[in-house]
Amino acid sequence: MAISVPSRQLFIDGEWRVPVLNNRIPIINPATEDIIGNIPGGTKEDVELAVDAAKRALSRNKGRDWSAAPGSLRARYLRAIASKITEKKDELGKLEAIDCGKPLEEALADLDDVIGCFNYYAELAEGLDAKQKAPVSLPMETFKSYVLKEPLGVVALITPWNYPLLMATWKVAPALAAGCTAILKPSELASVTCLELAEICREVGLPPGVLNIVTGLGHEAGAPLASHPDVAKVAFTGSSVTGSKIMTAAAQLVKPVSLELGGKSPIIVFEDVDLDKTAEWTIFGCFFTNGQICSATSRLIVHESIATEFVNRLVKWAKNIKISDPLEEGCRLGPIVSEGQYKKVLNFISNAKSEGATILTGGSRPEHLKKGYFVEPTIITNVTTSMQIWREEVFGPVLSVKTFSTEEEAIELANDTHYGLGSAVMSKDLERCERLSKAIQAGIVWINCAQPSFIQAPWGGIKRSGFGRELGEWGLENYLSVKQVTQYISDEQWGWYQSPSKL
């Protein structure tokens, strides 16, 4: 059954707008390599219009329409958006699957998280009013002080292609809950469902300019957005290279950024684990979302005493994964998002082989799929710590394996990376798990699992994986500034200077 992709324009000031230069970018279904539609290609001229619309929305009616409105008003819109997404969930799931190659069941699970995220931040928006004027305890009775939390202003939200609508929601929902107005720039490789979010905002009557959506290439739309003087903050999820450029642009204006960047996350497997249970989590941690996860636990560090048996189990699990068109029932591995990414993944595998590593399973296109950017789940052994495959983020279904003999060695291997996003520890010894959760340098540690993500829990990394935290209450704080208000309440003269009336 053919799924038609709606033809959309840019969403600026509550209306569909043709890009100033009338550019369009083709949409390619990565499972078939067919062009299935196109998206608008916004440029700096469109960014200018979007920022202007967001500025007007921020201050309209002295902020009473949005930024200074009660949190309960903003919550109503967030819940209405969640409700509309629920209505359109099946359609949105299919659009996401053909746009980025994500298995349909995964895309539908992502949409459940999208709905949950909008509802969660609706609750936090309502709770924000009660937290205003929180008193500050002072050592002097002649003063009283309290804190106001205020929206930062116009924010730029730049999001990736691996979880198109979900990663956008992780930013849009808390930004709007906080009272900010926003410009969302999704990845040009997967913008379809973000443009459908624009249509949903239009349908629920979100005030014009509160959320603007500008699709386009990174250097044509993302760069002018990140460096725009009227943007108060940039929140970015994507590669470390682009994150560094955004940080450089923001630094010129001393503008805050939050960055969720790449990863090369370890999964440490001790000798006391249940082999099949741990094998499934190891496969899930690296091959979920077609291996295209910033937090993918793609470095397996396994105890030498079980390494051979455990890796043999992994190969059996990997070979059992259904690789197919994402819309096929039971699909668990779809294609890589684009031809460029596909070639990059195959190049990583080829380099590993030429550096002396062993491709134990996978490493190429599945024989039964003649078209599409498919790569078999790949497990690589005989890896050294200096190899590219061990050190650099692949962003595909590729797992590298090393063994260890002592706990100290496992920790050293885990921390020997520029990145620090996710990590996993697999062992029945919970005291050991707790020791490692403190010793591992990462923003997230999973114990006896890999990749679970909950809206209520903070998400983010350290080192070159970025800084700042999304989700939970931390996600809302990302878009708020703290204002101290202090009042002198004594009837007495302050008395620091001699009064001229007493001279």
Side-chain angles (χ1 to χ4, degrees):
M1 183 189 67
I3 298 154
S4 67
V5 177
S7 181
R8 300 289 187 201
Q9 302 297 346
L10 303 176
F11 187 66
I12 297 172
D13 209 14
E15 297 175 348
W16 297 112
R17 298 271 185 96
V18 175
V20 171
L21 301 184
N22 208 13
N23 293 343
R24 306 292 295 183
I25 299 167
I27 303 165
I28 296 168
N29 179 339
T32 62
E33 302 180 41
D34 295 332
I35 294 175
I36 53 172
N38 55 58
I39 56 165
T43 55
K44 67 177 187 295
E45 293 85 353
D46 304 296
V47 166
E48 205 61 56
L49 294 172
V51 172
D52 194 47
K55 275 172 67 182
R56 287 197 307 276
L58 193 74
S59 58
R60 190 181 295 124
N61 195 12
K62 295 184 177 173
R64 287 192 287 269
D65 287 3
W66 191 258
S67 57
S72 55
L73 179 138
R74 298 192 294 273
R76 281 203 298 276
Y77 285 107
L78 294 176
R79 287 203 176 93
I81 291 168
S83 178
K84 274 283 177 201
I85 292 169
T86 306
E87 280 175 36
K88 300 184 180 203
K89 180 181 152 184
D90 288 347
E91 175 198 343
L92 290 169
K94 286 172 187 166
L95 287 173
E96 196 135 289
I98 63 172
D99 192 22
C100 74
K102 187 182 286 270
L104 179 59
E105 286 178 57
E106 257 188 62
L108 292 171
D110 285 357
L111 285 161
D112 286 333
D113 283 349
V114 166
I115 293 158
C117 195
F118 274 110
N119 282 324
Y120 175 77
Y121 282 107
E123 269 183 52
L124 289 199
E126 286 170 337
L128 201 52
D129 295 340
K131 289 181 178 175
Q132 294 293 17
K133 295 193 173 180
V136 177
S137 178
L138 300 177
M140 295 175 74
E141 290 177 6
T142 49
F143 293 92
K144 74 173 182 182
S145 185
Y146 61 84
V147 165
L148 294 175
K149 292 193 173 181
E150 298 177 333
L152 283 173
V154 174
V155 293
L157 314 174
I158 303 176
T159 56
W161 44 260
N162 55 342
Y163 290 83
L165 191 54
L166 183 57
M167 291 294 104
T169 302
W170 280 20
K171 291 173 172 44
V172 169
L176 299 194
C180 293
T181 58
I183 302 94
L184 170 64
K185 205 303 265 181
S187 166
E188 67 274 13
L189 294 178
S191 293
V192 172
T193 48
C194 287
L195 289 170
E196 293 313 293
L197 174 63
E199 174 60 16
I200 285 166
C201 290
R202 208 181 59 75
E203 288 174 13
V204 303
L206 189 72
V210 165
L211 179 62
N212 307 275
I213 301 178
V214 177
T215 54
L217 302 175
H219 66 280
E220 291 182 351
L225 182 57
S227 61
H228 199 290
D230 292 330
V231 167
K233 173 178 179 153
V234 184
F236 170 77
T237 299
S239 74
S240 297
V241 172
T242 306
S244 181
K245 287 177 184 170
I246 284 171
M247 204 170 165
T248 302
Q252 312 311 308
L253 300 165
V254 198
K255 181 184 300 186
V257 294
S258 50
L259 303 173
E260 203 264 80
L261 308 175
K264 193 73 181 171
S265 302
I267 177 165
I268 302 172
V269 176
F270 283 92
E271 69 279 11
D272 60 348
V273 297
D274 175 311
L275 292 181
D276 273 323
K277 196 173 166 185
T278 305
E280 185 182 6
W281 276 118
T282 304
I283 291 290
F284 183 79
C286 189
F287 299 153
F288 187 61
T289 311
N290 309 337
Q292 300 168 127
I293 323 180
C294 47
S295 57
T297 37
S298 57
R299 291 188 300 137
L300 168 61
I301 300 166
V302 59
H303 194 274
E304 60 187 14
S305 67
I306 60 161
T308 303
E309 189 183 355
F310 184 67
V311 170
N312 287 340
R313 295 271 179 113
L314 285 182
V315 169
K316 286 176 184 169
W317 277 87
K319 285 183 172 174
N320 199 43
I321 292 171
K322 179 173 179 177
I323 312 167
S324 69
D325 185 294
L327 296 176
E328 261 189 46
E329 196 174 335
C331 173
R332 286 294 178 268
L333 192 81
I336 300 296
V337 73
S338 68
E339 185 182 14
Q341 285 294 127
Y342 171 70
K343 287 178 175 172
K344 192 174 152 193
V345 171
L346 291 179
N347 194 45
F348 265 108
I349 297 167
S350 164
N351 283 353
K353 202 173 178 179
S354 64
E355 284 185 48
T358 302
I359 314 302
L360 203 61
T361 187
S364 56
R365 167 189 290 283
E367 283 180 17
H368 68 288
L369 294 164
K370 305 302 178 196
K371 287 193 86 174
Y373 309 125
F374 293 92
V375 177
E376 293 173 308
T378 303
I379 298 173
I380 301 180
T381 56
N382 294 324
V383 172
T384 67
T385 56
S386 61
M387 286 182 186
Q388 181 199 37
I389 201 75
W390 186 257
R391 304 211 71 80
E392 293 182 29
E393 183 175 42
V394 176
F395 231 67
V398 180
L399 179 69
S400 303
V401 185
K402 273 199 75 60
T403 62
F404 72 93
S405 56
T406 66
E407 190 175 305
E408 292 69 29
E409 189 187 353
I411 293 165
E412 197 175 316
L413 281 167
N415 289 340
D416 181 23
T417 172
H418 293 309
Y419 296 109
L421 184 53
S423 62
V425 183
M426 317 298 276
S427 173
K428 287 177 181 170
D429 181 344
L430 295 184
E431 281 185 18
R432 173 197 273 158
C433 290
E434 198 172 317
R435 277 197 308 276
L436 265 83
S437 68
K438 290 175 182 172
I440 290 172
Q441 296 163 2
I444 303 157
V445 181
W446 294 295
I447 295 175
N448 292 326
C449 58
Q451 300 309 329
S453 163
F454 298 97
I455 293 155
Q456 299 80 3
W459 182 277
I462 59 171
K463 300 198 272 191
R464 289 190 202 170
S465 291
F467 51 84
R469 292 293 177 269
E470 296 193 293
L471 301 182
E473 294 193 14
W474 301 267
L476 186 65
E477 297 292 334
N478 260 333
Y479 301 99
L480 291 167
S481 69
V482 175
K483 181 185 279 181
Q484 174 213 136
V485 180
T486 298
Q487 181 185 351
Y488 183 59
I489 54 173
S490 171
D491 292 333
E492 299 296 316
Q493 184 80 26
W494 177 227
W496 183 259
Y497 300 102
Q498 189 172 359
S499 170
S501 62
K502 292 181 180 174
L503 291 174

